């Protein structure tokens, strides 16, 4: 099997946030491609790939992507954006509350103005919203959901695993209700029955019910309740391959997009 090569971008400084963080990029295949690939940006980049940078084990998402490619299915480029440690809660929360300043809009502004263009310039990725997704788990899942409805002009799909919909007195429900349904919208939502006494799953079911009432169907919204699921990297790692397959199954391949090869990025692994 060919080696997994992960490119290291950065370190970056985010205006208004402390410290530096890296961005890791994984390509489902190396070499020239006839068409650009869809791309998935992921919060908590330390957890996306290997175990070492993660607090409790990585998702090994690059292996799931390689499996999709080997099976001839649509396989996205992965972009893991490291969180800021002690500032993680503030940078991933869309609203103030629960000990957070609620500065996701600032973080999202940096992501869409600096990181998305940088990845588009260096790698063969789609540039349209339908081919550009955002994802995460827990607070990252909440951030991904918000980011999709906040910037659907850039991020046309979202992977929301065990999203922390409870955060800030569940303000995310009012926010989404006030937004129009994006022109391009594809959502994956899951939760485990063993998370916080089942409340995470109940909140996720409420979200899905609202979206169904607004016209989402099985074609563009997949809800995966997990009866054995806990709030853990193990559960998210187990569910991630199915999430990826759904999120990009219908990604159109005929988008022209023009992207070049990598140019000077470091190889991290």
């Amino acid at each position: 099997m060919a080696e997994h090569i992960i490119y290291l971008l950065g370190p970056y400084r985010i205006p208004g946030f402390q410290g530096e963080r890296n961005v890791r990029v994984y390509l489902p295949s190396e070499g020239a491609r006839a068409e650009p690939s869809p791309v998935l940006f992921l919060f908590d980049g330390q957890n996306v790939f290997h175990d070492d940078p993660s607090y409790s084990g990585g998702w090994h998402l690059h292996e799931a992507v390689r499996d999709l490619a080997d099976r001839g299915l649509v396989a996205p480029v992965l972009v893991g954006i490291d969180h800021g440690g002690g500032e993680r809660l503030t940078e991933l929360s869309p609203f103030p509350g629960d000990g957070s300043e609620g500065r996701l809009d600032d973080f999202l502004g940096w992501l869409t103005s600096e990181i998305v263009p940088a990845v588009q310039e260096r790698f063969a990725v789609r540039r349209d919203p339908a081919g550009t997704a955002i994802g995460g788990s827990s607070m990252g899942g909440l951030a991904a959901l918000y980011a999709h409805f906040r910037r659907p002009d850039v991020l046309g799909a979202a992977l929301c695993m065990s999203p922390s919909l409870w955060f800030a007195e569940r303000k995310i429900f009012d926010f989404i209700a006030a937004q129009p349904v994006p022109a391009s919208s594809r959502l994956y939502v899951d939760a485990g029955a063993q998370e916080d006494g089942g409340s995470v799953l109940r909140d996720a079911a409420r979200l899905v019910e609202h979206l169904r009432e607004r016209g989402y169907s099985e074609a563009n919204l997949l809800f995966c309740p997990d009866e054995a699921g806990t709030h853990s990297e193990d559960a998210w790692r187990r569910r991630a391959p199915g999430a990826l397959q759904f999120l990009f199954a219908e990604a159109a391949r005929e988008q022209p997009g023009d992207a070049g090869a990598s140019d000077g990025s470091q190889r991290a692994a």
Side-chain angles (χ1 to χ4, degrees), residues 148-153 155-157 176 179-187 211 214 216 220:
H148 169 57
F149 281 93
R150 184 74 173 84
R151 292 300 307 271
D153 57 314
L155 306 166
I176 291 177
Q179 308 306 311
V181 174
S184 175
S185 188
R186 191 169 179 83
L187 299 172
L211 294 173
R214 298 187 64 184
Y216 281 80
N220 60 354

Side-chain angles (χ1 to χ4, degrees), residues 28-245:
S29 61
E30 294 285 340
R33 287 181 54 87
E35 304 160 345
S37 299
V39 56
L40 172 60
F41 294 87
L42 290 142
F43 297 112
D44 294 327
Q46 292 97 327
N47 298 335
V48 172
F49 301 110
H50 301 106
D51 293 335
D52 292 345
S54 174
Y55 175 74
S56 55
W59 291 12
H60 299 263
L61 209 55
H62 53 300
E63 296 175 3
V65 165
R66 176 66 65 82
D67 180 64
L68 289 177
D70 290 345
R71 292 159 56 196
L73 301 175
V74 178
V77 168
L78 300 175
V79 182
I81 304 161
D82 284 4
H83 63 69
E87 288 195 297
R88 176 181 180 270
L89 182 61
T90 285
E91 68 189 30
L92 294 184
S93 53
F95 319 106
D98 297 305
S100 166
E101 298 175 22
R103 297 187 56 200
L104 177 57
D105 278 334
D106 294 334
F107 190 84
L108 189 57
W110 168 77
L111 170 63
T112 55
S113 66
E114 184 166 352
I115 299 306
V116 171
V119 170
Q120 291 174 341
E121 290 171 6
R122 298 186 187 197
F123 303 98
V125 300
R126 297 257 301 263
R127 298 175 178 232
D128 59 308
T132 308
I134 185 77
S137 64
S138 193
M139 283 300 295
L142 173 67
L145 180 66
Y146 177 88
H148 169 57
F149 281 93
R150 184 74 173 84
R151 292 300 307 271
D153 57 314
V154 179
L155 306 166
L159 183 156
C160 310
M161 305 183 83
S162 301
S164 298
L165 303 174
W166 54 267
F167 184 81
E169 299 181 344
R170 295 175 169 81
K171 290 181 181 178
I172 189 66
F173 288 99
D174 289 337
F175 170 78
I176 291 177
Q179 308 306 311
V181 174
S184 175
S185 188
R186 191 169 179 83
L187 299 172
Y188 170 90
V189 179
D190 71 19
Q194 308 306 312
E195 300 182 57
D196 197 18
S199 66
V200 177
L201 181 55
R202 288 192 294 272
D203 282 343
R206 174 186 167 189
L207 170 68
V208 170
E209 181 180 6
H210 168 76
L211 294 173
R212 298 281 192 220
E213 291 173 351
R214 298 187 64 184
Y216 281 80
S217 68
E218 293 181 359
N220 60 354
L221 171 60
L222 178 62
F223 178 41
C224 289
D226 182 356
E227 291 302 320
T230 58
H231 201 78
S232 67
E233 306 299 337
D234 287 341
W236 300 323
R237 182 189 308 118
R238 174 168 49 81
R239 300 197 296 258
L244 289 182
Q245 185 166 340

